[in-house]
Amino acid sequence: MASIWVGHRGTIRDYPDFSPSVDAEAIRKAIRGIGTDEKMLISILTERSNAQRQLIVKEYQAAYGKELKDDLKGDLSGHFEHLMVALVTPPAIFDAKQLKKSMKGAGTNEDALTEILTTRTSRQMKEISQAYYTVYKKSLGDDISSETSGDFRKALLTLADGRRDESLKVDEHLAKKDAQILYKAGENRWGTDEDKFTEILCLRSFPQLKLTFDEYRNISQKDIVDSIKGELSGHFEDLLLAIVHCVRNTPAFLAERLHRALKGAGTDEFTLNRIMVSRSEIDLLDIRIEFKKHYGYSLYSAIKSDTSGDYEITLLKICGGDD
């Protein structure tokens, strides 16, 4: 069965001559020996798909009575450890944990919440919500509710519900109608009707929204982006702009997030790890193309100049090549 977590434009694919028991044993040796054999760990974990890594995890547990992630945590450290643990985590659980991290402690990481909730499909969101409840015994919606507020909260909750239409069919009549509603809700009145924006941008399919934004331009002579910037503000504005960006080009949106994570003083490893791992079997090839197109240098070279050691080696293997 085709996984909802695998696309056609990833850098990591199933390893052809895969044997979970051979891999589990090699990993155990790499961890148990005097000094960890990082090269061996990297080469196995970056050259297997997530589905295959889950089989290694099972095999490891059966053979050695231990959780592979716990052994990795005990043996590695820092950003390298986080990245290796991310690789052996099932996608829905990984996203659930990223959402939790975005909401715990002092201050909420609104950018991370926005990025995850705008780039996951409805079916993925449903699995993430289930995983969240399984791991934390609390609903994702409850945590979002207590950590955010206002229109931003409403929109996040709508996205977290996984109710966005996923069909590829577009309805021209609906696009005209929605464009008109958006126009009346924003440009064409005093004060903005935020709920209308949330309803349309969080529930319509991406192809449908693409058409709606074209119709919107016909009616208002403005791009929807300019209207959102003019009418709305704060995290809610950022969220709707993220949706528009994803509707038009999700890989370009994620390339921009990576660019931000890698430039300036200090690296944002939280974002870097999340995008590299979560898109490695979906659209990382496209993200690489967009990165090069927009910034004039490759994602590979950006990672190379910004990271070091085993952490760098692992990220470059996931990246899969220079452009």
Side-chain angles (χ1 to χ4, degrees):
M1 169 186 146
S3 163
I4 62 169
W5 299 94
V6 178
H8 301 293
R9 301 287 296 154
T11 52
I12 294 178
R13 299 177 187 283
D14 278 333
Y15 187 72
D17 304 311
F18 174 61
S19 160
S21 56
V22 170
D23 285 348
E25 193 181 337
I27 288 173
R28 182 70 172 159
K29 277 205 184 99
I31 291 175
R32 282 301 295 276
I34 297 171
T36 307
D37 182 354
E38 287 90 357
K39 302 287 166 283
M40 175 63 84
L41 289 178
I42 294 168
S43 82
I44 295 175
L45 294 179
T46 60
E47 289 174 29
R48 308 295 184 268
S49 65
N50 193 285
Q52 289 177 328
R53 289 182 218 123
Q54 296 319 310
L55 296 172
I56 297 172
V57 168
K58 252 197 193 112
E59 184 66 42
Y60 193 91
Q61 173 82 49
Y64 310 110
K66 294 187 145 177
E67 285 265 3
L68 176 54
K69 74 169 185 327
D70 295 337
D71 277 358
L72 290 172
K73 283 179 182 171
D75 227 48
L76 312 173
S77 63
H79 304 309
F80 177 51
E81 174 208 321
H82 294 153
L83 185 55
M84 296 303 264
V85 169
L87 287 171
V88 301
T89 308
I93 293 177
F94 177 69
D95 280 346
K97 291 188 164 176
Q98 293 281 305
L99 287 165
K100 185 68 166 177
K101 278 185 191 145
S102 304
M103 293 187 280
K104 80 175 198 228
T108 303
N109 185 336
E110 289 88 1
D111 282 350
L113 288 180
T114 294
E115 175 212 303
I116 297 167
L117 291 173
T118 52
T119 54
R120 302 311 187 249
T121 65
S122 294
R123 286 165 69 197
Q124 288 171 338
M125 271 323 303
K126 292 208 157 67
E127 276 195 22
I128 294 163
S129 292
Q130 279 175 320
Y132 196 94
Y133 192 77
T134 305
V135 177
Y136 301 110
K137 300 292 171 271
K138 265 188 95 171
S139 86
L140 174 59
D142 287 349
D143 277 350
I144 289 173
S145 282
S146 61
E147 293 300 324
T148 59
S149 62
D151 293 306
F152 180 55
R153 172 203 283 166
K154 263 190 211 168
L156 288 176
L157 289 172
T158 308
L159 292 171
D161 253 355
R163 288 187 298 141
R164 184 187 293 288
D165 176 24
E166 303 260 272
S167 90
L168 298 173
K169 280 219 282 286
V170 294
D171 176 340
E172 236 168 292
H173 177 69
L174 180 65
K176 283 193 165 75
K177 203 174 99 184
D178 281 348
Q180 198 68 52
I181 291 171
L182 289 172
Y183 182 58
K184 287 201 176 114
E187 290 293 337
N188 207 21
R189 58 170 277 174
W190 289 102
T192 310
D193 183 351
E194 288 85 359
D195 286 352
K196 294 282 190 288
F197 277 86
T198 296
E199 213 170 289
I200 293 169
L201 270 68
C202 296
L203 293 176
R204 302 285 185 259
S205 74
F206 277 14
Q208 182 66 31
L209 285 172
K210 226 185 194 121
L211 190 59
T212 305
F213 299 154
D214 291 342
E215 291 294 346
Y216 183 86
R217 183 187 275 274
N218 293 339
I219 298 170
S220 68
Q221 307 307 308
K222 267 180 116 163
D223 190 76
I224 188 78
V225 164
D226 299 319
S227 292
I228 291 170
K229 284 179 174 168
E231 298 290 323
L232 305 164
S233 63
H235 300 307
F236 181 55
E237 176 195 349
D238 295 339
L239 177 64
L240 294 189
L241 291 174
I243 293 172
V244 175
H245 202 166
C246 288
V247 164
R248 290 176 169 166
N249 191 334
T250 297
F253 170 71
L254 291 167
E256 187 190 314
R257 298 273 304 148
L258 282 171
H259 182 250
R260 237 186 298 166
L262 286 161
K263 76 171 213 262
T267 308
D268 172 4
E269 286 87 2
F270 183 54
T271 299
L272 180 57
N273 289 0
R274 178 176 56 256
I275 297 176
M276 294 300 287
V277 171
S278 68
R279 309 311 287 194
S280 61
E281 293 181 51
I282 298 176
D283 55 4
L284 191 50
L285 288 171
D286 294 327
I287 293 169
R288 273 168 44 185
I289 291 168
E290 294 296 337
F291 194 98
K292 178 80 185 250
K293 194 167 93 189
H294 287 275
Y295 308 110
Y297 53 92
S298 66
L299 175 58
Y300 192 92
S301 66
I303 291 169
K304 216 170 158 49
S305 67
D306 223 55
T307 58
S308 62
D310 292 319
Y311 181 55
E312 175 196 349
I313 294 166
T314 311
L315 285 170
L316 292 176
K317 292 266 306 215
I318 296 169
C319 185
D322 202 348
D323 300 299

